[in-house]
Amino acid sequence: MFAIALAALSALVWGSADYCGGRASQRGSALSVTVVSQLLGLPMLALCVVVLPGTIYGQDLLWGAAAGVAGVIGIVLLYQSLSTGAMAVAAPITAVTGALVPMSIGLITEATPSTVALIGAGCAVVAIGLVSLGPAPSGGRVSVRVVGLALASGALFGVFFSLLAQTHDGSGMWPLVAARGASVLLGLTLIVRSRTSLILPRSVLPWVALAGIGDIAANALYLLAAREGLLTVVAPIAALYPVSTVLLALTLDRERVRVVQLLGLGLAATALVLTAV
């Protein structure tokens, strides 16, 4: 129950951070927003290490660094797939794949959860796809490249979930330090290679800061959840982050939510109940 609560809270914070990052990306380069948000989130990371210091294990630092690299590349590929305009296809494929990969790994490497919990995890995967589903693309056709980018992005997000779950319980937040160090280094490399400016409009900096702080907080909550529960169940619940993004868009931006998304929200609630039993 505690692990599910932590995973659900991480999804809530992750989705909120994504919303803030999306708002910032409307007026600045997505790559710049990503890198600057990660830099502005470093004070929160320092706070997490102070609160939960743990012991530094070399192996866990490697797991964390690998997770950080996978996460950043996954974000870049996601932005590439979304930039094609086929968001209705790319977003749900990425989200669902990001949940299925760690769920499958957990079924292979860990003890099998109860039937009810497994059904709940399955409901969470379906809910992720429904909530992420947007309006159909105007052209009607989606290229194989878009699908490939979305699958690769989702797989890397799933790898991120899975790698963090491999770390020792006693390592505290140090794996996140390695993850953020690797992701920032790679992000800055991409900035230099693409000759993208890190300078953003002052008006978007609060959104960028909230995105960075929220991302670190969500990572920390997920890491704790993965240590408390089974990856098979925890990862799909944590991957419900599109739910809070949609709810914020509905509340703050007055966006219209489609019926299929409402069904996804209801199924997400069902998943939480089943996995918490």
Side-chain angles (χ1 to χ4, degrees), residues 65-118:
V69 170
V72 168
I73 297 176
I75 291 174
V76 173
L77 294 180
L78 174 62
Y79 285 152
Q80 288 181 357
S81 64
L82 295 179
S83 67
T84 63
M87 295 186 183
V89 175
I93 288 178
T94 299
V96 170
T97 306
L100 284 176
V101 168
M103 184 178 176
S104 301
I105 292 175
L107 286 173
I108 296 172
T109 61
E110 299 177 336
T112 304
S114 68
T115 301
V116 174
L118 198 55

Side-chain angles (χ1 to χ4, degrees), residues 119-137:
I119 293 174
C123 289
V125 173
V126 177
I128 292 165
L130 294 178
V131 171
S132 306
L133 198 62

Side-chain angles (χ1 to χ4, degrees), residues 85-263:
M87 295 186 183
V89 175
I93 288 178
T94 299
V96 170
T97 306
L100 284 176
V101 168
M103 184 178 176
S104 301
I105 292 175
L107 286 173
I108 296 172
T109 61
E110 299 177 336
T112 304
S114 68
T115 301
V116 174
L118 198 55
I119 293 174
C123 289
V125 173
V126 177
I128 292 165
L130 294 178
V131 171
S132 306
L133 198 62
S138 56
R141 292 185 178 182
V142 178
S143 68
V144 175
R145 178 176 178 272
V146 171
V147 175
L149 286 172
L151 285 171
S153 174
L156 287 169
F157 289 149
V159 169
F160 173 85
F161 281 129
S162 303
L163 291 178
L164 282 185
Q166 305 306 312
T167 59
H168 292 88
D169 292 351
S171 61
M173 294 292 111
W174 286 110
L176 292 186
V177 174
R180 185 46 48 98
S183 64
V184 167
L185 181 60
L186 181 56
L188 290 174
T189 302
L190 294 174
I191 286 286
V192 172
R193 291 190 62 181
S194 62
R195 297 182 180 179
T196 303
S197 174
L198 281 176
I199 299 176
L200 294 168
R202 184 173 300 180
S203 60
V204 307
L205 288 180
W207 292 111
V208 178
L210 287 173
I213 293 170
D215 182 57
I216 283 293
N219 287 346
L221 289 167
Y222 168 73
L223 186 56
L224 293 174
R227 291 170 176 171
E228 290 287 334
L230 294 174
L231 181 64
T232 308
V233 178
V234 167
I237 296 301
L240 282 169
Y241 55 84
V243 171
S244 54
T245 305
V246 169
L247 290 177
L248 283 173
L250 171 65
T251 304
L252 300 181
D253 299 336
R254 304 297 181 183
E255 289 188 7
R256 295 183 61 183
V257 178
R258 306 171 70 209
V259 174
V260 67
Q261 290 176 306
L262 290 176
L263 292 174

Side-chain angles (χ1 to χ4, degrees), residues 14-30:
W14 249 322
S16 301
D18 284 351
Y19 172 82
C20 294
R23 287 292 297 266
S25 297
Q26 292 174 356
R27 296 193 57 191
S29 162

